[in-house]
Amino acid sequence: IPVPESSGVAWAAIGRARVRLMLEHPYLATAVARLPVVDATGQQWCSTLATDGYAIYFNTEFTRTLRDPHLIFAIAHELVHCILGHIDRREERDAFIWNIAADYATNELLAEYGFDVLDGALLSAKYRAWPVEKIYRDICEEHRKTVSRQAVPAAGPGSAHAVSASDQAIAEIIAQRADGRTRRLRRGRQRSVYGLDEHVSPDAAETAHFRPEQFPSGAERRRLRQELVGAAMAAGDKPGHWKSELARATTSPLAWQAVLAHFVSGLRRSDYRLYPPNRRHIYRGLYLPGLGVPGPQHLVVAVDTSGSMSTSLFSQVFSQIDHLREATECQVTLMQFDAAVQGEVRIDAWEPMDTRSMIGKSVVGRGGTDLCAPFRAIEESKDGRFQRIDALIIITDGLGPVPSKPPSFPVLWVLAPHGHNKCTFGAEVSLPPDE
């Protein structure tokens, strides 16, 4: 480690801490050797320590105040953020709440391994063995009683986790400290006010001059995490939830989305249509039929609202379906069913309405489950609204009777975590478990 004259004491202490980490906690040794450490003293975004998922930034004025055991804990805290991919795993979630959840998860792991946790660090026995995603949801649910439930669209297509208005409205959180006291965490304040470190976006402008020249891309960071996780797993026995978190760090959370997107994008038609017309000839005043519409025109989404299902399981699927609906400019009919179809809403392609907010405002049913109900409703319809549909997407846990014969249209079963599909036809995708 280079030792600048102006911060030689701090650099020397960090050097000792890193060596002790490698010797006393060999599962972190590879991360210590691979991840760069950068002096960011004097920067507003680094009043203590910070990480962008690859580099570890420190403030010499802060690190010089720490005893060696606390400095070892602080560096290990940043290393675990990088190994477990906490920065990249945030996706479209609210940064303020995610930072708090990630600190809780990280400190619980380190406390279990005997690290000397700083008194002011976030620590709660409630979150022992919880993954960061579950902690995030719990924090949000604890504070949503007093804020709006209206959803805000995600920042872009492909996001499984739209940031809701209620998340953004949480301006203050009462958090638990390691010393048993509570601390008031306020949105927009300096990170040193409400936690140990700052979690910096990998492409943040304020860190551009401090990032290492060979800063890895997102794909390269995932490959690096796989190496670090492999080394950590090979370095000895780990608690069960540590192994689970290591697996999450290298498993793509978008696998089910890719299946859903591939299913919808494969629903193509090749017949002639006057609407929409062929855009290539509109400038000439010619409205000619279009050929090969690049996606479906009518999707039916059937949601199992029986008592065995939770509304929270639907939201990420609806978010993705809304993105696909916008991309393909198709109509969606949303059904709610239990033992029978209990509600039905049609959403035209041009409507700025999202299914996430609709299902959250009005869930009907909550009886037993009959997975034949959506098929019967489509087959028995007399008004022609289902005369020509491109596919049926069913969101369910799979508990209930299933049809014995396949319909004339494609079917996709989106199964809740630990759900089971007894049907012999249709494609299938499973949502990842919450824990």
Side-chain angles (χ1 to χ4, degrees):
I1 302 175
V3 184
E5 292 182 1
S6 61
S7 56
V9 175
W11 273 106
I14 289 175
R16 292 194 304 270
R18 296 177 77 200
V19 170
R20 286 186 58 181
L21 271 173
M22 297 177 75
L23 296 176
E24 299 173 10
H25 302 276
Y27 53 93
L28 296 177
T30 302
V32 171
R34 290 292 302 276
L35 301 177
V37 179
V38 180
D39 185 349
T41 304
Q43 299 303 305
Q44 187 177 12
W45 50 268
C46 187
S47 57
T48 54
L49 286 93
T51 183
D52 50 20
Y54 174 66
I56 296 172
Y57 306 92
F58 72 95
N59 183 306
T60 57
E61 299 302 318
F62 172 74
T63 56
R64 289 174 61 182
T65 66
L66 301 179
R67 296 185 298 108
D68 282 353
H70 283 161
L71 182 56
I72 291 172
F73 160 76
I75 296 175
H77 180 100
E78 307 305 324
L79 291 173
V80 170
H81 280 322
C82 297
I83 295 174
L84 299 184
H86 285 161
I87 308 302
D88 291 323
R89 282 165 62 182
R90 180 173 72 87
E91 298 174 353
E92 302 300 331
R93 297 178 179 91
D94 182 84
F96 169 63
I97 307 171
W98 180 260
N99 287 1
I100 296 170
D103 277 2
Y104 270 130
T106 299
N107 294 340
E108 284 295 334
L109 285 171
L110 295 177
E112 184 165 348
Y113 262 79
F115 282 84
D116 192 350
V117 180
L118 279 165
D119 288 344
L122 305 185
L123 193 68
S124 172
K126 174 183 180 180
Y127 296 134
R128 183 170 297 131
W130 283 29
V132 62
E133 289 85 358
K134 184 178 179 182
I135 298 174
Y136 176 92
R137 287 194 298 272
D138 183 75
I139 293 173
C140 293
E141 290 300 325
E142 287 292 324
H143 294 81
R144 277 178 178 160
K145 297 177 182 179
T146 58
V147 296
S148 170
R149 293 181 177 271
Q150 182 179 3
V152 175
S159 168
H161 308 282
V163 179
S164 70
S166 56
D167 293 351
Q168 293 179 323
I170 298 176
E172 185 175 274
I173 291 175
I174 305 299
Q176 297 293 320
R177 297 177 11 150
D179 59 6
R181 301 169 61 186
T182 60
R183 81 184 308 172
R184 198 176 296 272
L185 314 183
R186 295 183 178 90
R187 180 185 295 275
R189 297 289 298 275
Q190 285 289 327
R191 185 63 175 155
S192 59
V193 174
Y194 59 85
L196 173 66
D197 62 343
E198 178 69 59
H199 304 172
V200 185
S201 172
D203 55 0
E206 60 266 32
T207 60
H209 295 298
F210 292 86
R211 285 196 293 268
E213 292 184 3
Q214 302 299 324
F215 194 85
S217 65
E220 291 168 340
R221 291 196 301 275
R222 284 192 294 273
R223 287 194 293 269
L224 176 59
R225 285 201 299 273
Q226 290 176 343
E227 295 179 18
L228 299 179
V229 166
M233 295 294 288
D237 294 335
K238 308 289 179 298
H241 69 283
W242 172 246
K243 292 182 179 180
S244 174
E245 280 289 88
L246 291 175
R248 285 172 177 267
T250 55
T251 302
S252 170
L254 301 180
W256 69 269
Q257 286 185 296
V259 175
L260 178 59
H262 180 74
F263 176 82
V264 174
S265 64
L267 301 172
R268 298 177 179 270
R269 293 180 172 180
S270 57
D271 56 335
Y272 285 94
R273 283 184 179 80
L274 183 58
Y275 182 81
N278 191 323
R279 297 180 181 178
R280 296 179 60 183
H281 301 283
I282 292 179
Y283 78 98
R284 302 167 56 192
L286 299 177
Y287 291 85
L288 302 178
L291 175 63
V293 176
Q297 286 195 326
H298 188 187
L299 294 176
V300 178
V301 180
V303 182
D304 177 0
T305 57
S306 63
S308 59
M309 292 288 289
S310 169
T311 304
S312 62
L313 295 174
F314 310 141
S315 61
Q316 56 182 322
V317 181
F318 288 155
S319 177
Q320 181 67 2
I321 289 174
D322 284 329
H323 291 315
L324 294 172
R325 178 172 67 92
E326 294 171 3
T328 57
E329 299 181 348
C330 72
Q331 176 189 107
V332 170
T333 297
L334 176 64
M335 286 183 178
Q336 298 185 51
F337 75 95
D338 46 20
V341 173
Q342 302 291 350
E344 182 182 311
V345 178
R346 187 181 70 179
I347 309 171
D348 291 321
W350 49 267
E351 287 188 87
M353 186 179 296
D354 65 273
T355 51
R356 291 179 72 249
S357 61
M358 289 179 61
I359 196 70
K361 292 177 181 177
S362 177
V363 176
V364 296
R366 294 311 197 189
T369 306
D370 184 355
L371 297 173
C372 300
F375 296 89
R376 284 199 302 268
I378 294 173
E379 181 180 352
E380 297 172 1
S381 172
K382 303 298 183 182
D383 58 8
R385 65 187 186 281
F386 297 125
Q387 185 174 0
R388 192 172 190 183
I389 67 173
D390 292 282
L392 170 64
I393 300 174
I394 304 177
I395 307 172
T396 179
D397 57 7
L399 301 178
V402 297
S404 57
K405 296 181 180 180
S408 59
F409 44 81
V411 176
L412 175 65
W413 301 88
V414 180
L415 299 178
H418 312 298
H420 299 283
N421 184 12
K422 301 177 183 178
C423 196
T424 58
F425 61 81
E428 177 183 318
V429 60
S430 296
L431 298 176
D434 289 340
E435 302 180 40

